[in-house]
Amino acid sequence: MSKNFKSLVLGIAILFVLVCVTLVLAITGKNSAQNAASLRGPIENMRFTLYASGIYPTQTQVKAGNALIAVEDRTHNSSGIAVQRETGQGASEVGRVKTVNQSRGRALLRLEPGRYVVFDITRPANRAELLVEP
């Protein structure tokens, strides 16, 4: 192959890589900006510890808004926790914090005022209460 042809192929390859990187950054940046906009404001931190006998703490209170929920699995075989909001029509799942193949997990959730139930996915009888104040 000639030197000019190799230079042309190299130039096209570099251009292709630059276009791909630009597209990925544009797509990722747009989603990150949307997520950040929906999670503005202070973040409440809370921790739940999973034991074979139950979840500790059994009850906790936070203010409405963003909540960073951290879970520590002392059983070493739980799938994590589910967070459900209780309403007059039943319960609706707000989110999950997974601990599969690891002893810790965390998730950022947006919580509206109300009563929530937190339960161990592997042991649904193990429950805690989460009260979200306005």
Side-chain angles (χ1 to χ4, degrees):
M1 287 193 251
S2 72
K3 187 176 179 181
N4 288 339
F5 182 73
K6 287 181 183 179
S7 296
L8 179 65
V9 170
L10 180 62
I12 291 172
I14 291 172
L15 182 63
F16 178 75
V17 169
L18 288 174
V19 168
C20 289
V21 168
T22 303
L23 286 174
V24 167
L25 290 176
I27 292 169
T28 305
K30 194 178 293 183
N31 289 338
S32 297
Q34 289 171 348
N35 290 341
S38 66
L39 295 175
R40 287 189 182 156
I43 297 175
E44 291 271 352
N45 292 305
M46 66 188 85
R47 174 183 294 274
F48 291 99
T49 306
L50 307 180
Y51 297 96
S53 59
I55 298 176
Y56 180 80
T58 56
Q59 185 182 56
T60 188
Q61 294 179 354
V62 296
K63 294 189 185 279
N66 302 319
L68 180 64
I69 301 176
V71 175
E72 183 175 355
D73 177 17
R74 295 280 178 97
T75 68
H76 302 290
N77 65 1
S78 175
S79 297
I81 63 168
V83 180
Q84 291 183 340
R85 182 170 187 212
E86 292 192 335
T87 62
Q89 293 80 22
S92 61
E93 188 168 305
V94 176
R96 291 181 176 224
V97 182
K98 296 182 180 181
T99 59
V100 178
N101 298 326
Q102 53 192 7
S103 61
R104 295 181 182 189
R106 62 184 178 171
L108 184 61
L109 302 176
R110 178 110 180 130
L111 301 176
E112 300 299 325
R115 183 177 183 276
Y116 293 77
V117 174
V118 176
F119 65 91
D120 187 334
I121 297 168
T122 307
R123 296 172 191 82
N126 291 354
R127 294 175 173 261
E129 183 179 41
L130 173 58
L131 301 173
V132 180
E133 301 171 343

